[in-house]
Amino acid sequence: MIKEEFDPNATEIIDENGVLSEDIIDPSEETAVQSDGETEQEAADAPEETGKVLCPRCGERNTSKGHEFCYRCEEALSRTRLPVTGIIAAVIALAASVFCFVVVSLDASPAVQAVKGDIAMADNNVYAAYDAYNKVDTAAKEIAGIIGEKSPLNNFVKSGLGLKLRIFKAIAGNYNPLLTYQRRDSIFGDSLNEKYLEKDKDYRLAKEHYERFESTYKILQEPIDMMEQSDDNSRENGETILALIEEKRGQEGVDDVILDFFIYNVYAFYDFDKEELLDSLKKLDEDADKTGLDYSWLYYKEYVKVLISMNKPDEAMKYIDVLAEKDISAYDPVLYKMQAYLLKGDKDSAKKLVEEYRENNKTQDNKDSDSSYSLLINMARVEGDYDKATALIKEAQEIYSTVPEYNRQVALIYLAQGKYDEAYEAAYACEQMAYYLASYYGETDYYTSNMLMTTVYLSAKLCEKYGEKNTENIEHLQEVIDSFETVTWDKEITDIVEGKADVKDYLTKGVCDFI
Amino acid sequence: MRILYVITKFILFPGAYLRGFWEHLTCRILKLMVEPGGYLRPDEACGHVEHSLAKSQFAAYLISTGPGFMNFNMGLFFFLFGFVNIKTLGITFYDGAVLYIVYVIAMYIGISMLNCLFPLTEDILNFWEIAYGKSEDKSIIRKAADGVGKVLGFPFALITRAGAFLEKNCIIFILWVAFIVWQFIIA
């Protein structure tokens, strides 16, 4: 820092703002000042006599009072040239920053969607995150439409592999790493690059789960094929398959947890007791704990369903909480939790839970989501408010026309009211819609769910037994009943069919639904 | 600390050089004396120019905030251009090597500019002394106007003073390093 105190009296050189006077800058006047100065200097006494100091910069002239340099050096210093490289750098930087500003403005809309997705993911709201991430490319395409498809700026407005990896991680971490890995082609599309993706630990973990499952499945191919091809679901047949599976335990390439899961499936498919089924799940849970890996995606839902069906809501709650924490937008954990509360007779908590879910899962235009409607309808039906439930169903079907669960709820309301023909028609419509979704979109979970099968079976059987049988799809009634010929039903269901129990009791007590 | 300061300025030389240039330009506009010697030098004035202290409140304010203002506005867009594309929109090396390198360089230049925002401590202390030191006798109206200006400008003056302290002690550089590590390695 040039240290100097400006002389307030030296106004002919420095103005009161500390700025050199324009007068000095005029070359003609400069000469005049210089000559005057020189005359003055010549006339002046020697420095030691006047107390003046020679300019340390030039060593030729004296400095003015309070100035570090002589007026000419001060003038020269205040006119130091800007370097050419600096000017070029500044111009380039300015132009580049304007370009950056334009690109950042164009990127704003897709980037906002990506940030929304990140925020939702931080809250474990996977549905909202997935929805927002998917809108990034839509927003980028809209921008491309505005600036023109052929504009070179389009190269700067697009999402990359990193964003697709975030979508993958969102689904794999909170839903099912195995299925997500299987669907990686549709997630990444052309940008799939194993070299990059394998650097991510979540991707590697999903891949490992997939490889373990594939390897175990291959080794267990024979008993699994036997199970799939056999119509005989007797206990003896099940025991044979169990023995074949157990033989493979410990073999290289066999994952014990996945093997346990196949064992559970044998218990579920064949005519075993519920206690044995629960034991198989307990064994699976213990083995999974030993690995230290997260296998909750593999069996927690099944475990919870079995626990609830065996009237063990407190035990089930522990596993439901794990599922709910992973994804606050997931429907199943909330449904199970609601059922667990109902089983405990705690309707208030169930209602509060549904309201919380409803608030957390509003659509972008602030409407209830399709799954929120399912829960609200369910809750209204459980409370016996059929008018409210029916009104909600109508409202939901106007917005979401392809949700089979709404028709199932209609069937349950009719069953509880003893209107079996209407119940059969609603259940039939529900099954058709679920079949359509399974066939065309691969959404098989709902179509193969126990609650759908039981609703359809019970509606058809009760219609056959007590209905007037004059409705639209009655011609398919026998066909529907026959399709369940090989299924082993729970005692509660067979009791209803045989007239030993009332379906209304089943639908108004405990869980109030078919699990 | 001086060595660390110089090292950080040399690491982030684009921003330091431009900051020096803007400061030099401001000195030229205000006709303040500037000691020649370049913008990147191995001392405390690295990324700045040695210049005489401004006398007026406006000149002192401009020399303290003007160069930083230029660096901030340009650096912000450079940084966002790189950061939004790499971090938010997930562009990777595999999406296009050239594009990715452009984003990385833009982000580096942006950070280098945003790391060189604040003036030398002498400049901000000079402004502080002029603006908030003992004032000469003025009319009531001038005093009132001066008071309003001081109140309105206080947050900026305070931020600039605090920023100058943080920059001098390389804390802003450390914060940038922490931010990059958090965003690209931890998160």
Side-chain angles (χ1 to χ4, degrees):
Chain A
M1 188 63 55
I2 298 170
K3 289 176 185 168
E4 51 122 8
E5 285 296 324
F6 291 98
D7 183 359
N9 299 322
T11 49
E12 72 279 11
I13 298 171
I14 311 289
D15 69 19
E16 64 186 282
N17 294 324
V19 174
L20 275 172
S21 166
E22 282 294 330
D23 296 346
I24 302 299
I25 295 159
D26 185 342
S28 58
E29 289 191 24
E30 188 184 340
T31 317
V33 171
Q34 189 182 334
S35 59
D36 286 351
E38 277 168 6
T39 315
E40 281 170 23
Q41 292 302 319
E42 281 163 13
D45 294 327
E48 54 273 19
E49 287 172 34
T50 58
K52 289 193 174 179
V53 182
L54 268 175
C55 171
R57 191 162 178 269
C58 64
E60 292 172 4
R61 286 169 293 278
N62 286 331
T63 60
S64 304
K65 193 184 172 190
H67 287 243
E68 194 177 352
F69 306 109
C70 68
Y71 71 94
R72 289 193 70 184
C73 285
E74 283 187 350
E75 188 201 342
L77 287 171
S78 65
R79 292 176 139 268
T80 318
R81 280 191 148 201
L82 292 168
V84 179
T85 48
I87 295 168
I88 293 169
V91 169
I92 292 172
L94 265 170
S97 71
V98 170
F99 173 76
C100 290
F101 168 74
V102 172
V103 172
V104 169
S105 307
L106 295 173
D107 277 339
S109 172
V112 164
Q113 292 300 337
V115 170
K116 270 188 187 175
D118 290 344
I119 292 169
M121 250 339 280
D123 293 337
N124 285 341
N125 193 341
V126 178
Y127 175 77
Y130 184 72
D131 187 44
Y133 285 144
N134 276 325
K135 283 179 181 158
V136 171
D137 283 338
T138 314
K141 276 178 192 163
E142 280 173 13
I143 299 291
I146 294 166
I147 59 175
E149 298 285 342
K150 287 177 184 172
S151 168
L153 281 174
N154 280 329
N155 291 324
F156 298 96
V157 188
K158 60 181 182 183
S159 68
L161 190 52
L163 187 88
K164 292 184 175 72
L165 178 61
R166 262 137 71 198
I167 297 174
F168 179 91
K169 286 165 74 144
I171 312 171
N174 301 281
Y175 171 54
N176 186 329
L178 187 74
L179 289 177
T180 316
Y181 184 79
Q182 276 177 327
R183 292 175 190 167
R184 68 191 189 286
D185 286 338
S186 65
I187 295 170
F188 292 105
D190 296 339
S191 56
L192 181 67
N193 187 308
E194 287 285 340
K195 203 175 165 188
Y196 169 77
L197 295 170
E198 289 213 352
K199 288 177 191 163
D200 185 80
K201 71 173 172 43
D202 292 331
Y203 183 85
R204 280 200 310 271
L205 189 65
K207 190 180 178 184
E208 282 166 20
H209 276 310
Y210 175 78
E211 284 170 352
R212 269 195 289 265
F213 191 89
E214 282 291 290
S215 158
T216 309
Y217 187 88
K218 212 173 260 179
I219 292 166
L220 299 177
Q221 188 78 53
E222 188 194 347
I224 291 169
D225 282 349
M226 279 175 70
M227 197 165 91
E228 282 175 353
Q229 286 156 15
S230 167
D231 286 336
D232 176 13
N233 59 351
S234 66
R235 186 184 176 95
E236 293 71 34
N237 205 7
E239 280 171 350
T240 311
I241 292 180
L242 279 177
L244 282 171
I245 292 176
E246 278 296 347
E247 266 179 28
K248 311 285 183 187
R249 192 183 288 276
Q251 269 192 24
E252 199 185 332
V254 171
D255 184 304
D256 279 356
V257 179
I258 293 166
L259 183 132
D260 286 339
F261 183 68
F262 282 116
I263 288 176
Y264 152 74
N265 276 286
V266 175
Y267 277 103
F269 187 74
Y270 291 96
D271 194 11
F272 287 95
D273 295 339
K274 275 207 163 176
E275 286 297 337
E276 287 172 298
L277 183 68
L278 185 61
D279 286 344
S280 73
L281 279 165
K282 278 183 180 165
K283 168 88 171 59
L284 166 58
D285 196 34
E286 282 166 17
D287 284 350
D289 277 349
K290 281 178 204 162
T291 64
L293 290 169
D294 180 11
Y295 277 101
S296 59
W297 53 272
L298 183 67
Y299 67 95
Y300 268 31
K301 280 186 188 176
E302 302 302 319
Y303 204 178
V304 165
K305 277 194 262 186
V306 171
L307 286 168
I308 290 177
S309 70
M310 293 180 74
N311 204 357
K312 295 182 177 190
D314 292 324
E315 256 183 84
M317 208 60 104
K318 188 174 84 179
Y319 298 95
I320 295 170
D321 284 342
V322 174
L323 292 173
E325 252 178 54
K326 278 171 160 271
D327 180 4
I328 63 163
S329 62
Y331 173 71
D332 289 343
V334 182
L335 179 69
Y336 302 147
K337 205 167 191 174
M338 187 185 95
Q339 291 175 338
Y341 280 134
L342 292 174
L343 208 53
K344 286 166 42 170
D346 189 355
K347 277 192 182 177
D348 290 339
S349 296
K351 218 172 167 179
K352 197 177 156 195
L353 179 79
V354 171
E355 280 304 322
E356 272 176 20
Y357 180 84
R358 184 188 189 185
E359 284 306 313
N360 285 334
N361 292 280
K362 291 274 185 191
T363 58
Q364 284 202 334
D365 46 358
N366 207 31
K367 284 183 180 161
D368 287 319
S369 66
D370 57 344
S371 48
S372 291
Y373 270 116
S374 294
L375 289 170
L376 288 166
I377 293 162
N378 215 330
M379 203 61 225
R381 181 183 59 78
V382 165
E383 287 186 309
D385 192 345
Y386 298 138
D387 290 340
K388 186 183 172 187
T390 310
L392 280 166
I393 290 167
K394 276 188 182 169
E395 193 181 311
Q397 282 178 328
E398 277 176 22
I399 308 169
Y400 309 104
S401 54
T402 55
V403 180
E405 174 63 11
Y406 302 150
N407 283 323
R408 195 182 76 88
Q409 290 295 333
V410 174
L412 295 181
I413 292 169
Y414 284 134
L415 280 177
Q417 291 174 328
K419 297 175 181 173
Y420 303 119
D421 290 293
E422 288 87 342
Y424 163 72
E425 284 297 332
Y428 185 79
C430 176
E431 194 201 22
Q432 291 298 305
M433 199 181 284
Y435 176 74
Y436 172 81
L437 292 174
S439 306
Y440 293 98
Y441 298 102
E443 293 171 13
T444 55
D445 286 1
Y446 189 79
Y447 184 63
T448 56
S449 68
N450 192 51
M451 60 185 185
L452 173 66
M453 287 204 293
T454 313
T455 308
V456 174
Y457 172 71
L458 214 50
S459 302
K461 279 302 263 186
L462 294 176
C463 177
E464 183 196 36
K465 209 166 180 182
Y466 307 111
E468 292 177 9
K469 295 185 271 299
N470 56 0
T471 53
E472 193 186 343
N473 291 299
I474 209 72
E475 58 193 84
H476 303 294
L477 183 66
Q478 200 52 49
E479 195 186 315
V480 170
I481 292 169
D482 290 346
S483 67
F484 296 107
E485 209 175 23
T486 58
V487 179
T488 308
W489 298 103
D490 285 344
K491 192 176 176 302
E492 293 89 341
I493 305 300
T494 51
D495 281 354
I496 293 168
V497 171
E498 288 165 12
K500 293 177 190 168
D502 188 358
V503 68
K504 192 177 177 184
D505 281 350
Y506 195 94
L507 290 172
T508 51
K509 287 175 189 163
V511 175
C512 309
D513 202 346
F514 307 118
I515 305 163
Chain B
M1 192 54 73
R2 180 182 150 182
I3 294 168
L4 186 61
Y5 175 81
V6 172
I7 289 170
T8 61
K9 293 289 172 184
F10 273 91
I11 290 172
L12 301 172
F13 70 91
Y17 185 86
L18 278 169
R19 156 86 210 190
F21 176 81
W22 298 127
E23 200 168 309
H24 191 172
L25 186 66
T26 314
C27 287
R28 281 297 305 265
I29 293 166
L30 297 171
K31 297 192 175 73
L32 295 177
M33 290 188 290
V34 171
E35 183 75 37
Y39 308 139
L40 296 170
R41 54 174 93 182
D43 57 27
E44 295 92 339
C46 189
H48 297 272
V49 286
E50 285 212 64
H51 61 83
S52 58
L53 293 175
K55 283 299 240 181
S56 76
Q57 196 166 308
F58 174 72
Y61 183 75
L62 201 63
I63 197 66
S64 296
T65 58
F69 178 80
M70 288 300 290
N71 254 21
F72 176 77
N73 281 300
M74 290 165 62
L76 184 69
F77 293 120
F78 271 103
F79 173 71
L80 287 177
F81 175 74
F83 185 80
V84 165
N85 279 291
I86 293 175
K87 181 69 186 171
T88 314
L89 295 177
I91 299 289
T92 65
F93 187 80
Y94 301 95
D95 291 303
V98 176
L99 198 64
Y100 183 72
I101 290 166
V102 166
Y103 290 141
V104 170
I105 291 171
M107 197 161 67
Y108 163 71
I109 293 173
I111 291 172
S112 77
M113 286 181 167
L114 294 173
N115 187 57
C116 300
L117 294 181
F118 298 102
L120 285 170
T121 327
E122 289 92 330
D123 282 332
I124 188 63
L125 288 178
N126 178 49
F127 167 71
W128 202 268
E129 179 62 33
I130 294 169
Y132 297 100
K134 278 183 183 174
S135 61
E136 59 197 56
D137 288 339
K138 290 173 186 170
S139 68
I140 295 175
I141 296 171
R142 278 200 70 181
K143 270 187 181 173
D146 206 29
V148 171
K150 281 176 184 174
V151 170
L152 291 177
F154 185 75
F156 302 103
L158 193 68
I159 290 168
T160 312
R161 188 166 176 177
F165 172 79
L166 295 175
E167 197 172 303
K168 187 182 172 185
N169 292 291
C170 302
I171 295 168
I172 291 179
F173 177 79
I174 293 164
L175 289 174
W176 271 116
V177 172
F179 176 78
I180 294 299
V181 169
W182 172 47
Q183 285 295 313
F184 291 96
I185 298 171
I186 298 171

